[in-house]
Structure formats: structure tokens, C-alpha cells
Amino acid sequence: MSDNNRGPGKDPDNKPGFDLNKNNKFALFFLISLIIMFFVLFLVNDRGAGTEIPYSTFMNYLESGQITAVKIYDNKTIQGTMQGPTGQNTIFDTDIPYFDDFLMEKLRTNNVIIEGAESSAGAATIFIQIIPWVIGFAFIWFMLRQMQGGGNKAFSFGKSKAKRYNQNDKKVTFDDVAGQAEAKYELQEVVDFLQNPEKFQKLGARVPKGVLLVGMPGTGKTLLAKAAAGEAGVNFFHMSGSDFVEMFVGVGASRVRDLFDQGRKNAPCILFIDELDAVGRTRGAGYGGGHDEREQTLNQMLVEMDGFDTKEGVMILAATNRPDVLDPALLRPGRFDRQVVVDMPDLNERLAILNIHVQKVKIKKNVSLDKIARSTPGTSGADLANLVNEAALFAGRHGRNEVSSQDFEEARDKILLGVARKSRMISPEEKVATAWHEAGHALLHYHLEYADPLHKVTVIPHGQALGLALSLPEKDTYSKRRGWLLDRIKITMGGYVAENIKYGETTTGTKNDIEQATMIARRMITEWGMSEKIGFVSYGAEDEPIFIGKEIAQHKDYSEETAKMIDSEIQAVLSRCLKETERILTDNKDQLEKLAEALVTEETLDDDRIRVLLELGPAVKQYEEDN
Ligand code: ADP
Ligand code: MG
Ligand code: ZN
């Protein structure tokens, strides 16, 4: 479900720069005049009207006195009129094959009326000579259209490709955006200003020209910008930063100019530049260095932003998920001087987003959106919109007329973990081994103090994984305690330990688990200061992707000795956790076996089922008291 489909209807007649209908009419007109010209030329030209006869036959007719008149063209062709025996006139043509000295004499002795004429082929010849040019121009014109991509934007290279949404289109409002209270609050000011500019001007307040929405993809930046326009009831121009970038130098800059012109003409309005980082990267940082096309485009944007007054009633919103790479000039006062952070949704916001999107589908009454929200930490609004849609598709595929919780489960697993691959062939032995492995992960949830409750465990393959054990955090936490992290490491080790208990050896299926456990242990020590020996210090850098143009490389900023110490600390944490895990699983081997067997037969077990199997009693649900 992309934002394009959801937005208000597009307005093709308002495409700036070029009008599709006018263009087609022009082409049609051109074609018709061409055809008419063709016919006129052939009608006016009376040559070609007669039958073509050989020169010798012509001579015979001439000598028998049947020819009454001739017209000689350029000494090359003769058009003649011949009177037949019954008195009717026939027109004929003949070519003169050689220079005939006696032709004139013969014509005169036979009393033929002689006329000379310029070759009237002239017009036709010119016409024929024009044709390649016409075709050539038509071809170039066609190529230009193709290069424009849209097919209807010939001669509009320098025009902005902004999509325009009108005041009277179906509106998106802040009610369509769940959560994002701070962002809405900031944007409300933009809305107030667009509706009531005098109020602010009277106060002498300087209203921000541009607001930059900063947030991860899918968090609703585009949606918020549209909603702001909808709330203010003004026109909305939407353009992506990458639309400015074209292969010809100067095109981007002229598109920027055009976009701002459009904005001024249609004030009050909101200009929205999505993915600003596509044009707004720090200057002089690219490969080519110097003044490239992108830099010129950015300069033009800075000039335009400086050059107009908020009094004109034009507000510029932009969105990016890489504010750190933006050119600092863009963020100076008078340009994008206000930044609004659009966060990933937390638990309550996820619930609210789900609530908005399930309005569009029919769901069963017993579906717990709360449970879905809790089981989707780290997902964006776009993911959740997609999840609801996928669930509806699953319901359709299963022939249900209401979306059930099973459909939501399936959709969630598909989005978070890849599609369940029920059809993949797994040998019975492999299935048993997977069951033991997953049972090892799952059982630890019931024996560790700080672990999140288990959501479900399955031996149905998902994506690359043979099986899964999913936990269900009770709420989103942004900081984790040491105890939770250690328990997380132990849970990760559960598969490995269980395989060892059952078979006395392990499989390659433990690779990811080992990586994950090691990663947590390393970060505990090098980033979070959770080791007593090493203490309060940060080693190594963030895992942020490196972008060419800013940092070029990262340095290892510690000595060999420290490296050794870090390694031995990681070792110590991991081996302590492994011992503890081994102790728990061997002490409860009967439970482990029960779980593994149940997994082989039932394939998927949820928390409730496991509690019944292991006779544990119902779970204490904290989160219901919390909310
Ligand atoms: P971004 O521009 O930040 O990448 P979008 O605005 O394009 O994200 O969001 C994509 C879709 O995700 C929206 O059209 C909407 O359906 C959904 N969505 C994202 N955030 C929210 C939200 N807070 N409330 C409701 N729907 C949301
Ligand atoms: Mg977007
Ligand atoms: Zn595992």
C-alpha cells in the first residue's frame, strides 16, 4: 500500500508545463494537413493523368495525324491529346528517349499545337525532398518525448515534475495519522500560518519558511505533509528530490525554479520535497568534486528559498531519513530552520495505526489488535499498513469473508520473518532436530527471570530459518538491563545446548544464534560499559552505514592489549551464560523432551499451549495492568 494510492486523486489536467490534449490535437492537425497537401499536389498536377505509351507508338500516331496537341516538358516528356477515330480525345504521356532532331518538324507538318512547360514536377519534387526532414523532425520529437519518460511532457525538460493535489481533492487530515503528537503539534503551526498569515505578521513574528521532517522510511513523513496541506485546505505540490536530478546540467536547477514559480502562482500552498538528501547532499563531497549538476540544483534551491517571502503564503516542507548528510546551508535560518522528528511508532502508536488501517477491512471480533501491536516491535507505520493488507489477502486466499487472527499471524510472520514455507521438504529426522533446537530456545523463557514471555515456537520454516521461537515483549523498552541482556544471550544459546543434550553434537543451524550471542556480549562490553574489568568506556564505532561523502573510514581506536582484554571478557560472559543454560536445560530435560515431541506433532505451540503441556499455570499478564 504505497502512499501514492492512498493520497487524494491526481489531477492530470494540471500537469505543469504541458497539456496532453492540446498536444494530441496538434499532432492530428499536422497529419491531416500533410495528407491534404499530398492530394492537392497530385490534383493540381495534371501530369500522370494520361496513359503512358512508348515513343514509337507516339510516332506512329503522329504520322497517322491522330495527335492534335502536345505539351513538352523540359525536352524530356510529352503530354499529348489524341483524337480517336470516333472523335473522342485521349490524353497520353510519353518519354522522349533521345534528342530527336526531327520531332519539331514532324509536329509542325502534322499541324499539332505545341506548348512548352516547366516541369510541374517541381512542387512534387520539393514535397518529396521535404519528407525526410519531416520524418527526421518527427523522430527527434518522439525521442525527446521518450527521454522525458512520461510520454506527455515534450519540451518540458526544465519544468518541475511536481504532482499536484488540489484543495477540493479528497483530503488527508491529521486524523489519518496515528500518533506522532509532536510532529502534528509542530505542523499545526504551519497550518495556522497558512490559514491566517495576517495574525502572525501583525505580531511581527518571523514564520519559518521551511520545515524538515526527519525520520526513518515508512514512518509517515509524506502522510504528515499531505495531512498538513489537507488541514490548511491549501494546494499541495509533491516532488521527490530525485526528480530534480537529470543527466543534463542545468535541468535540475530550472526544475527548482519552475517548482517555486508554480508555488507562487498557486499560493497559498505547500511545496513538499520528498527525499531531500537526493539533492541536498553536502556540496563538494561527491566523487567528481567541483560543480556538478546536483550542486547547481542545490544552489538554485538555496537561492529560491532565500528569494521569497513567507508573506506569499508558500510553505516548504521536506523529508529525509539522512539529515546528517544534508548540506549545512540548507539548515540555516531562513531555509529549513525547523526540524521535526518523525519517530518510529511505539506500542500504543502501533495499536493506533493498526486501528486506522483495519477500518478498511472486515475483521473478526475476536482479533486482538493489542497482541499484534505487541508482537511487532520495530515496525514502521508503512509496515503495519502493509501487514493489515497482507492479512486481508491471506483471508481472501483462504476463502474467509472476515480477517481472522490466524491471518494476522501469518501476515506478521511474512512481513517480519519471510513467508512461511510449508511446502519445503524436510526429512523426519531434520524435523526432530529442529524441534529440539527450538524447544531449547522456548523452554528458557520459562526459567529465566528477566526474559520476555514467549509468544510462540514453530518448526515451520520461515525464509531461511528452519524454525522459530518468538518472544513477546510486554512493552517497548529502549534501554535494556544487564540481566535482560544476559538472559537474551542464554535464550540464544538454548538451541545449541538442546542439540548437544539430545545428540551430543551440534549442527550448522546454530550459526545465527552464535553470531547473535557474540554480538550482544561484545556490545555489552565495548559499548555499554557492562564489564567490571573494562568498565565505563566505549570502544569501536557505531554500526551506522558509512556514506561516501562524509566519513571515509572508521578507525580502531584501541590498542592490541585492550583488544585482547575485550576478547577475554567476551569469552568470559559467553562461557558463564553457556554454563547456566546447560544447567537449566539438563535439570529440566523432561520438559525439554515434552516440548520437542509436541513440536514434532503440532508444529506450532503458543504460550497458552506450552503452559498446559508443562503444567505451569496461566501467565501473569502485566501489560494489562500497565495500560
Ligand atoms: P515516509 O514518507 O516516512 O516514508 P509514508 O508517509 O510514505 O512514509 O508512509 C507510508 C504509509 O504508511 C502511509 O501511506 C500510511 O498508510 C502508513 N503510515 C505510516 N505512518 C502512519 C501513521 N502514523 N498513521 C497511519 N498510517 C501511517
Ligand atoms: Mg515518503
Ligand atoms: Zn536457534
Side-chain angles (χ1 to χ4, degrees):
M1 208 178 295
S2 85
D3 53 4
N4 287 352
N5 302 338
R6 235 193 132 244
K10 285 163 213 162
D11 187 1
D13 284 338
N14 265 310
K15 280 248 157 65
F18 205 85
D19 189 15
L20 174 71
N21 291 336
K22 219 193 268 170
N23 188 36
N24 275 353
K25 272 184 202 145
F26 173 71
L28 201 69
F29 175 76
F30 186 69
L31 204 78
I32 289 174
S33 13
L34 217 72
I35 292 169
I36 290 175
M37 244 160 75
F38 212 78
F39 272 104
V40 168
L41 273 167
F42 275 94
L43 285 180
V44 164
N45 179 7
D46 49 2
R47 283 193 67 236
T51 27
E52 187 84 28
I53 55 169
Y55 191 64
S56 52
T57 320
F58 164 72
M59 278 298 162
N60 291 341
Y61 287 145
L62 183 64
E63 275 153 23
S64 61
Q66 279 172 287
I67 310 248
T68 52
V70 292
K71 218 177 202 176
I72 303 175
Y73 293 98
D74 292 344
N75 268 335
K76 276 190 206 131
T77 45
I78 297 172
Q79 187 171 72
T81 315
M82 182 173 72
Q83 199 154 48
T86 45
Q88 91 280 22
N89 282 334
T90 325
I91 293 173
F92 64 88
D93 286 309
T94 188
D95 288 330
I96 305 170
Y98 56 94
F99 188 75
D100 190 347
D101 277 333
F102 307 104
L103 178 62
M104 271 305 144
E105 214 185 300
K106 274 182 198 153
L107 287 169
R108 295 193 60 170
T109 49
N110 284 293
N111 285 326
V112 177
I113 305 161
I114 308 166
E115 277 181 280
E118 282 262 320
S119 168
S120 72
T125 318
I126 289 168
F127 182 73
I128 288 164
Q129 281 167 345
I130 288 175
I131 282 180
W133 289 93
V134 171
I135 292 173
F137 277 119
F139 181 71
I140 290 168
W141 179 65
F142 179 76
M143 287 307 284
L144 277 174
R145 279 172 64 131
Q146 291 298 304
M147 270 151 65
Q148 288 287 305
N152 54 2
K153 292 191 199 98
F155 314 125
S156 70
F157 261 121
K159 302 286 184 184
S160 79
K161 296 201 258 178
K163 261 186 256 142
R164 177 178 171 171
Y165 301 90
N166 282 336
Q167 278 136 292
N168 18 14
D169 284 330
K170 193 184 147 282
K171 266 183 201 160
V172 184
T173 64
F174 283 154
D175 288 339
D176 296 313
V177 189
Q180 305 296 2
E182 288 114 272
K184 281 184 197 170
Y185 179 81
E186 296 271 352
L187 288 176
Q188 185 60 48
E189 202 176 345
V190 172
V191 172
D192 287 345
F193 170 73
L194 284 170
Q195 284 176 331
N196 229 335
E198 309 86 36
K199 191 175 97 187
F200 290 84
Q201 278 152 23
K202 252 185 244 156
L203 287 167
R206 196 179 58 79
V207 182
K209 272 186 198 170
V211 178
L212 182 62
L213 301 167
V214 178
M216 303 283 281
T219 46
K221 299 181 293 294
T222 310
L223 189 64
L224 272 165
K226 271 184 201 157
E231 289 280 331
V234 298
N235 290 322
F236 181 70
F237 290 88
H238 180 169
M239 193 157 168
S240 174
S242 53
D243 292 342
F244 290 112
V245 184
E246 197 78 43
M247 63 181 162
F248 299 114
V249 174
V251 172
S254 95
R255 281 192 184 149
V256 171
R257 224 173 296 131
D258 188 67
L259 177 69
F260 279 81
D261 284 346
Q262 291 277 335
R264 282 195 198 95
K265 270 183 227 148
N266 294 284
C269 70
I270 289 180
L271 303 182
F272 178 58
I273 303 167
D274 213 344
E275 286 150 60
L276 181 66
D277 45 295
V279 273
R281 287 269 164 104
T282 305
R283 281 169 292 183
Y287 268 123
H291 290 265
D292 59 357
E293 155 69 357
R294 194 171 51 74
E295 202 161 298
Q296 216 172 318
T297 310
L298 173 58
N299 283 336
Q300 186 64 38
M301 195 171 286
L302 296 175
V303 168
E304 290 287 347
M305 287 195 79
D306 287 342
F308 83 91
D309 204 328
T310 19
K311 280 192 205 111
E312 295 177 67
V314 182
M315 275 296 212
I316 303 152
L317 299 189
T320 181
N321 53 354
R322 299 280 314 178
D324 50 324
V325 301
L326 289 184
D327 197 286
L330 270 174
L331 307 177
R332 274 213 298 268
R335 292 168 186 158
F336 292 106
D337 42 8
R338 188 163 299 186
Q339 288 195 27
V340 173
V341 176
V342 185
D343 272 327
M344 288 294 264
D346 65 13
L347 175 57
N348 287 325
E349 287 175 322
R350 287 202 301 273
L351 187 57
I353 293 171
L354 285 170
N355 267 316
I356 284 183
H357 288 280
V358 294
Q359 309 282 301
K360 280 172 273 170
V361 296
K362 263 170 94 180
I363 63 166
K364 274 216 175 92
K365 280 209 188 72
N366 66 354
V367 172
S368 160
L369 291 181
D370 177 72
K371 201 166 182 181
I372 302 163
R374 282 196 300 124
S375 63
T376 47
T379 51
S380 69
D383 293 332
L384 292 170
N386 192 14
L387 188 151
V388 172
N389 190 45
E390 285 290 341
L393 290 176
F394 276 123
R397 216 172 293 162
H398 294 169
R400 283 190 268 272
N401 44 15
E402 282 177 324
V403 188
S404 69
S405 23
Q406 201 187 325
D407 299 319
F408 276 105
E409 284 280 313
E410 228 170 302
R412 201 266 331 267
D413 291 352
K414 176 178 175 184
I415 285 167
L416 293 189
L417 316 156
V419 195
R421 294 220 307 262
K422 290 194 182 121
S423 58
R424 178 162 156 183
M425 289 299 290
I426 296 169
S427 67
E429 299 88 64
E430 206 177 358
K431 189 172 175 186
V432 174
T434 309
W436 274 82
H437 179 106
E438 299 304 331
H441 288 307
L443 187 59
L444 286 163
H445 284 270
Y446 299 89
H447 292 276
L448 292 169
E449 196 181 343
Y450 302 106
D452 292 324
L454 184 80
H455 176 47
K456 71 172 182 186
V457 53
T458 176
V459 291
I460 296 170
H462 283 75
Q464 289 301 309
L466 285 175
L468 296 163
L470 289 172
S471 60
L472 194 58
E474 305 199 319
K475 44 189 154 192
D476 290 0
T477 40
Y478 296 105
S479 70
K480 307 287 189 197
R481 289 195 291 171
R482 186 163 185 269
W484 186 92
L485 289 164
L486 291 173
D487 281 359
R488 187 69 231 167
I489 294 178
K490 289 170 206 159
I491 290 169
T492 317
M493 291 172 157
Y496 177 91
V497 173
E499 282 184 35
N500 243 333
I501 289 173
K502 167 77 175 159
Y503 299 103
E505 61 180 7
T506 59
T507 62
T508 53
T510 55
K511 173 175 177 275
N512 277 330
D513 293 339
I514 295 174
E515 272 171 12
Q516 215 188 334
T518 313
M519 199 252 308
I520 298 173
R522 175 177 295 278
R523 298 187 69 183
M524 282 176 73
I525 287 150
T526 60
E527 292 175 31
W528 302 323
M530 288 176 182
S531 145
E532 268 154 37
K533 252 193 220 155
I534 292 175
F536 185 87
V537 59
S538 166
Y539 289 119
E542 291 281 294
D543 304 321
E544 288 265 313
I546 303 164
F547 266 78
I548 293 170
K550 273 226 149 161
E551 320 94 281
I552 292 297
Q554 289 169 331
H555 308 284
K556 194 169 128 186
D557 52 3
Y558 46 81
S559 67
E560 287 294 310
E561 238 160 88
T562 315
K564 262 186 211 150
M565 198 157 66
I566 290 173
D567 287 344
S568 82
E569 277 296 282
I570 293 172
Q571 272 298 327
V573 169
L574 288 177
S575 71
R576 249 180 285 139
C577 286
L578 191 63
K579 270 210 194 91
E580 171 79 359
T581 311
E582 278 164 354
R583 188 190 58 74
I584 295 171
L585 290 186
T586 29
D587 285 359
N588 299 285
K589 198 180 162 196
D590 51 331
Q591 288 187 336
L592 185 64
E593 188 152 13
K594 238 189 219 166
L595 266 189
E597 276 165 9
L599 270 173
V600 172
T601 51
E602 298 171 40
E603 297 197 334
T604 302
L605 305 171
D606 62 10
D607 180 49
D608 293 341
R609 179 78 186 117
I610 292 174
R611 284 176 187 281
V612 171
L613 275 175
L614 304 182
E615 294 157 17
L616 291 173
V620 194
K621 291 191 174 171
Q622 280 179 328
Y623 61 89
E624 278 175 356
E625 295 151 29
D626 286 1
N627 285 345

